[in-house]
């Protein structure tokens, strides 16, 4: 198989990229030193995280002259995400750090006054006049970033670039840019399903001007993200199964109270990918305490899944500082690293985030730099850290009865209380803490969390629709994206949550696992409601 060289310099999920490259018929050779760059015919620079951190790492390891030489020699070069950003002159993310300056221009941050930042999800990469490396106006691609190259018509074109653009809110930015032997994508082709694989293949095959003529362009903008979630645990027979609880109780009410077994994680993830799921989330809902960390069954699930599922994968459960079975201390960052190396794009932190937030407030809102959220987001970028929140309603007759952030509710409590606040829980809802969702989400946002997975124990497994009041309260409290979770029972509930809240994404579990509806049913419904969605491409 022909080879492509990948620069092994930066933390992140490179396994997905390797899988994607292999899928389109190439093998990967790693570049481990600047001297190796000369060997490369085709070179790919993947990148995640902080622009300044990446560029400084390159510079310190003396890669910059070798990369410049490769590009100047006319050999094929591809930059992905921060790999695109590196080609420009600089970024307001790290104003004192220089980029390679292969293309003139600078990056700035998305305006978060009226939209969530980071920009996470599926958006266009529209080439108006040319065929560029298989990019199609009818396709959507997966983006995750806070900084962008603003698009000003004609500026990059005047430098000899072909540009593919995307729009987020009222900001138009560069989704991909091609110049001579260089292709750079702000989106992740390895996470963009068939559309992304096509771009990767076109680059590797040297098909600069490939594409399909006459396709109808999709409306520009971010699509509504629909996520399938798989709660995974070992059942009483010792098998790893996808399960689903009612308000977090995963045992059957009959048949001796067995753990509900709804299928096998890898197979189900693939099924949802093929139904058009925009992301797949695995939650390890019980920790595998008797198992050495390096053998965690979830690692193998990720390795297998990432070979066939080319959309983002999130893994949650057990991400905290831990002591291994042999007594070795293992940090949350090390556990996250294992997950990223096995194919995860994001890790989701539950219980540990609540403890960290408690400490943050106890210290007078001071960041310690030592929490899992801070350490993982520093190393892998904010976009890689999700906090999964498991709140429970606490009813009060009046908001003055509590120091917590209470809201009026249209679903009164058991004693007709007209207000409620949402108490955070840990250990899968087993323990309730004296902290509300506003406090928690604001604290973890300050620590560097990039996205909130907002469950609701009262709604979980009820099929009665999302808790819109909870979602609105959290959306109003923070700037980072929110994934609405718990309660979805039919496609209409997804329509409702997108219509009545500003949620950035919505997640379903039981209704998909029980086969009542497919992800495609949800997307078709949303499409009919006039919402922008991405459909699965073969
Ligand atoms: O605390 O960092 O070890 O993480 C544990 C993770 O496991 C947390 O993300 C927590 O939400 C999750 N978890 C723990 N116990 C359960 C349980 O169900 N017994 N599952 C659990 C949480 C919630 C959603 C669910 C939606 C949608 N599951 O993932 O999929 O509520 O369900 P629906 O659409 O069927 O209503 P840590």
């Amino acid at each position: 198989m022909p080879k492509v060289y990948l620069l092994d310099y930066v933390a992140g999920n490179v396994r997905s990229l390797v899988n994607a490259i292999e899928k389109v018929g190439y093998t990967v050779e790693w570049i481990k030193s600047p001297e190796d760059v000369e060997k490369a015919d085709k070179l790919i620079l993947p990148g995640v995280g902080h622009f300044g951190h990446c560029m400084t790492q390159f510079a310190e390891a003396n890669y910059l002259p070798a990369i410049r030489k490769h590009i100047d020699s006319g050999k094929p070069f591809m930059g992905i995400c921060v790999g695109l950003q590196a080609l420009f002159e600089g970024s307001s993310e790290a104003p004192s750090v220089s980029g390679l300056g292969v293309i003139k221009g600078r990056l700035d941050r998305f305006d978060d006054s009226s939209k969530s930042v980071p920009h996470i999800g599926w958006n266009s990469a529209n080439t108006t006049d040319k065929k560029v490396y298989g990019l199609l106006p009818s396709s959507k691609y997966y983006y995750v970033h806070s900084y962008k190259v603003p698009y000003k018509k004609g500026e990059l074109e005047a430098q000899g670039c072909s540009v593919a653009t995307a729009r987020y809110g009222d900001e138009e930015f560069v989704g991909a840019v091609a110049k001579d032997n260089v292709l750079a994508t702000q989106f992740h082709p390895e996470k963009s399903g068939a559309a992304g694989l096509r771009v990767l293949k076109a680059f590797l095959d040297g098909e600069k001007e490939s594409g399909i003529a006459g396709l109808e362009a999709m409306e520009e903008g971010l699509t509504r993200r629909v996520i399938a979630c798989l709660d995974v645990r070992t059942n009483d027979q010792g098998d790893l199964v996808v399960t689903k609880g009612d308000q977090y109780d995963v045992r059957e009410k009959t048949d001796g109270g067995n753990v509900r077994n709804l299928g096998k994680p890898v197979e189900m993830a693939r099924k949802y990918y093929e139904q058009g799921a925009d992301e797949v989330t695995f939650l390890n809902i019980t920790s595998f305490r008797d198992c050495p960390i390096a053998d965690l069954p979830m690692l193998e699930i990720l390795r297998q899944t990432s070979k066939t599922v080319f959309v983002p994968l999130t893994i949650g459960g057990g991400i905290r500082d831990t002591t291994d079975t042999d007594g070795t201390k293992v940090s949350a960052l090390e556990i996250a690293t294992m997950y990223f190396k096995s194919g995860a794009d994001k890790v989701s932190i539950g219980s540990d985030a609540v403890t960290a937030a408690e400490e943050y407030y106890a210290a007078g809102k001071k960041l310690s730099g030592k929490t899992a959220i801070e350490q993982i987001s520093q190393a892998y970028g904010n976009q890689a850290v999700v906090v999964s929140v498991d709140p429970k309603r606490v009813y009060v007759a009046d908001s003055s009865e509590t120091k917590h952030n209470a809201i009026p509710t249209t679903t009164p409590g058991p004693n007709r209380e007209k207000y409620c606040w949402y108490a955070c829980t840990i250990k899968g809802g087993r323990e309730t803490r004296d902290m509300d969702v506003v406090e928690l989400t604001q604290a973890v946002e300050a620590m560097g969390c990039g996205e909130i997975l907002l469950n609701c124990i009262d709604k979980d497994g009820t099929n009665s629709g999302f808790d819109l009041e909870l979602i609105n309260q959290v959306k109003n409290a923070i700037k980072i994206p929110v994934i609405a979770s718990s309660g979805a029972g039919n496609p209409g509930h997804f329509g409702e949550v997108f219509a009545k809240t500003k949620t950035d994404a919505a997640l379903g579990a039981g209704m998909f696992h029980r086969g009542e509806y497919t992800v495609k049913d949800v997307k078709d419904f949303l499409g009919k409601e006039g919402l922008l969605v991405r459909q699965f491409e073969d």
Side-chain angles (χ1 to χ4, degrees):
M1 279 205 283
K3 271 185 209 157
V4 54
Y5 287 77
L6 274 190
L7 239 159
D8 181 20
Y9 76 101
V10 72
N13 174 13
V14 276
R15 177 173 282 262
S16 303
L17 184 55
V18 173
N19 288 338
I21 290 168
E22 289 177 355
K23 174 93 180 161
V24 298
Y26 287 76
T27 54
V28 167
E29 194 83 18
W30 290 101
I31 290 198
K32 299 200 182 288
S33 72
E35 294 71 48
D36 285 351
V37 176
E38 266 191 34
K39 291 192 289 193
D41 171 29
K42 301 176 171 76
L43 177 63
I44 298 185
L45 177 59
V48 293
H50 192 271
F51 173 85
H53 181 68
C54 284
M55 291 313 298
T56 311
Q57 268 195 292
F58 277 151
E60 281 171 1
N62 205 24
Y63 271 116
L64 298 181
I67 295 172
R68 271 205 193 89
K69 196 169 159 201
H70 176 96
I71 294 174
D72 291 346
S73 74
K75 291 195 228 170
F77 176 89
M78 182 172 186
I80 298 175
C81 194
V82 180
L84 170 142
Q85 303 182 359
L87 291 170
F88 285 81
E89 292 167 302
S91 169
S92 61
E93 191 174 18
S96 58
V97 178
S98 297
L100 284 159
V102 172
I103 303 174
K104 287 199 183 67
R106 296 184 67 81
L107 290 107
D108 58 28
R109 196 169 193 272
F110 280 116
D111 175 9
D112 66 8
S113 57
S114 59
K115 57 187 184 295
S116 306
V117 177
H119 166 239
I120 300 183
W122 296 76
N123 206 325
S124 312
N126 280 340
T127 48
T128 41
D129 48 354
K130 286 185 183 151
K131 288 184 183 173
V132 182
Y133 289 105
L135 286 163
L136 298 184
S138 54
S139 293
K140 291 282 182 185
Y141 304 89
Y142 185 76
Y143 290 83
V144 49
H145 58 131
S146 300
Y147 291 79
K148 85 305 176 175
V149 179
Y151 179 66
K152 294 192 196 95
K153 201 172 168 49
E155 268 186 17
L156 291 170
E157 290 84 346
Q159 296 182 49
C161 299
S162 301
V163 188
T165 59
R167 178 173 292 282
Y168 185 34
D170 58 4
E171 297 186 83
E172 198 171 16
F173 64 95
V174 174
V177 57
K179 185 186 179 193
D180 306 322
N181 52 322
V182 173
L183 167 66
T185 62
Q186 180 60 69
F187 62 83
H188 286 268
E190 75 280 15
K191 289 279 127 195
S192 299
L197 295 178
R198 203 168 42 235
V199 175
L200 206 53
K201 182 163 168 41
F203 167 74
L204 294 170
D205 292 349
E207 303 276 351
K208 281 189 203 175
E209 289 179 22
S210 58
I212 304 168
L215 287 173
E216 208 177 305
M218 254 186 110
E219 194 186 318
E220 277 201 321
L222 194 58
T223 63
R224 305 302 174 133
R225 245 188 309 155
V226 177
I227 299 174
C229 180
L230 297 97
D231 290 358
V232 179
R233 63 162 283 173
T234 21
N235 63 10
D236 302 310
Q237 290 71 44
D239 299 321
L240 213 54
V241 298
V242 173
T243 189
K244 180 66 212 115
D246 299 327
Q247 299 176 308
Y248 287 29
D249 179 1
V250 297
R251 291 194 175 268
E252 302 280 9
K253 304 289 177 282
T254 54
D255 289 345
N258 288 330
V259 170
R260 272 189 203 136
N261 178 351
L262 294 163
K264 293 185 178 161
V266 178
E267 283 170 18
M268 289 179 79
R270 182 172 181 167
K271 179 173 79 180
Y272 296 142
Y273 167 64
E274 289 173 355
Q275 290 176 2
D278 294 315
E279 292 182 29
V280 174
T281 297
F282 292 107
L283 295 177
N284 163 5
I285 66 166
T286 50
S287 52
F288 301 92
R289 284 192 195 90
D290 300 331
C291 167
I293 286 168
D295 298 334
L296 282 178
M298 294 308 270
L299 293 170
E300 190 51 26
I301 288 181
L302 281 169
R303 283 186 207 113
Q304 295 303 327
T305 304
S306 63
K307 283 188 193 155
T308 54
V309 175
F310 296 100
V311 296
L313 301 175
T314 302
I315 174 83
I319 296 168
R320 64 179 79 95
D321 295 343
T322 308
T323 305
D324 207 347
T325 42
D326 65 359
T328 318
K329 297 238 182 285
V330 186
S331 70
L333 177 60
E334 287 169 304
I335 294 176
T337 299
M338 280 189 241
Y339 281 133
F340 291 130
K341 284 196 172 152
S342 304
D345 300 280
K346 313 185 211 181
V347 292
S348 163
I349 303 177
S351 307
D352 189 69
V354 180
T355 316
E358 286 170 348
E359 286 165 11
Y360 168 78
Y361 286 112
K365 295 196 186 177
K366 269 213 194 95
L367 296 174
S368 70
K370 293 187 182 137
T371 60
I373 300 171
E374 287 164 275
Q375 298 204 336
I376 301 170
S377 64
Q378 281 260 319
Y380 293 94
N382 298 17
Q383 81 294 331
V385 184
V386 178
V387 166
S388 166
V389 187
D390 298 318
K392 240 183 204 167
R393 281 181 166 224
V394 179
Y395 289 99
V396 283
D398 192 82
S399 57
S400 60
E401 280 180 19
T402 173
K403 63 177 175 133
H404 288 293
N405 291 286
I407 50 166
T409 176
T410 53
T411 319
N415 300 312
R416 294 201 202 87
E417 295 96 335
K418 290 200 177 121
Y419 288 81
C420 75
W421 62 278
Y422 292 90
C424 296
T425 66
I426 57 172
K427 301 180 184 162
R430 288 181 191 89
E431 202 178 308
T432 305
R433 309 295 301 181
D434 189 24
M435 170 168 293
D436 66 54
V437 280
V438 171
E439 293 169 306
L440 174 66
T441 53
Q442 288 181 339
V444 298
E445 181 177 45
M447 287 175 208
C449 158
E451 201 175 26
I452 298 292
L453 168 50
L454 187 56
N455 304 300
C456 176
I457 296 181
D458 309 83
K459 283 287 191 175
D460 173 71
T462 62
N463 307 321
S464 61
F466 296 92
D467 189 330
L468 307 177
E469 292 168 350
L470 165 68
I471 298 158
N472 279 326
Q473 187 185 30
V474 172
K475 273 302 293 177
N476 287 333
I478 52 172
K479 298 283 187 193
I480 53 178
V482 170
I483 301 166
S485 167
S486 303
N490 60 55
H493 291 146
F494 285 82
E496 182 181 54
V497 77
F498 284 121
K500 296 189 177 162
T501 76
K502 288 190 181 152
T503 193
D504 299 272
L507 171 153
M511 65 180 252
F512 299 139
H513 304 336
R514 293 185 298 268
E516 293 158 3
Y517 296 95
T518 63
V519 178
K520 184 170 183 325
D521 293 334
V522 172
K523 297 264 183 106
D524 288 345
F525 177 88
L526 295 176
K528 282 194 195 117
E529 296 281 293
L531 299 175
L532 197 56
V533 285
R534 175 195 74 103
Q535 294 289 4
F536 179 70
E537 276 186 56
D538 247 332

